[in-house]
Amino acid sequence: MVSKAKQAIALPAVMDLDSLDGIRDGLIDAIDEGPVLVDASAVERVSTNALIMLISAGETARKNQFDFAIERPSATMLTAIERLGLGARFSGMMRG
């Protein structure tokens, strides 16, 4: 079996309704290719919808038997996840 290279996605500083379509399209393309590594270090503002989209992307990757990891989440992103009570949903995805 050939191991597929991880697809890297860098999240923008602002993850709001205006940016979701572009992020979603990038995630779909990456998940279709194989394992995905999401760099969340630049996130300064994040909407609830964006977090739900990341959860969905992670579940889709797992259904396709691909690894999905969120690397270096910013303090802003971590705070939003905790305030919304989504810590358990993200715990298996977070790296560093």
Side-chain angles (χ1 to χ4, degrees):
M1 176 179 212
V2 176
S3 176
K4 294 188 177 193
K6 281 193 178 183
Q7 303 297 310
I9 299 285
L11 297 178
V14 177
M15 293 181 60
D16 60 7
L17 293 177
D18 293 333
S19 66
L20 286 184
D21 287 344
I23 297 167
R24 181 201 63 226
D25 292 346
L27 287 169
I28 288 170
D29 291 344
I31 290 169
D32 283 346
E33 294 294 318
V36 179
L37 181 61
V38 177
D39 181 351
S41 61
V43 175
E44 296 174 7
R45 190 170 75 213
V46 61
S47 70
T48 302
N49 290 348
L51 295 175
I52 300 301
M53 182 179 63
L54 288 172
I55 291 169
S56 177
E59 290 175 1
T60 300
R62 278 191 291 283
K63 286 180 186 174
N64 292 336
Q65 299 180 345
F66 295 133
D67 185 42
F68 184 90
I70 298 173
E71 181 179 67
R72 299 179 297 152
S74 68
T76 299
M77 185 171 177
L78 291 172
T79 299
I81 289 168
E82 290 307 312
R83 284 187 180 161
L84 292 167
L86 297 172
R89 299 297 303 267
F90 278 91
S91 66
M93 292 186 249
M94 297 296 196
R95 308 280 190 281

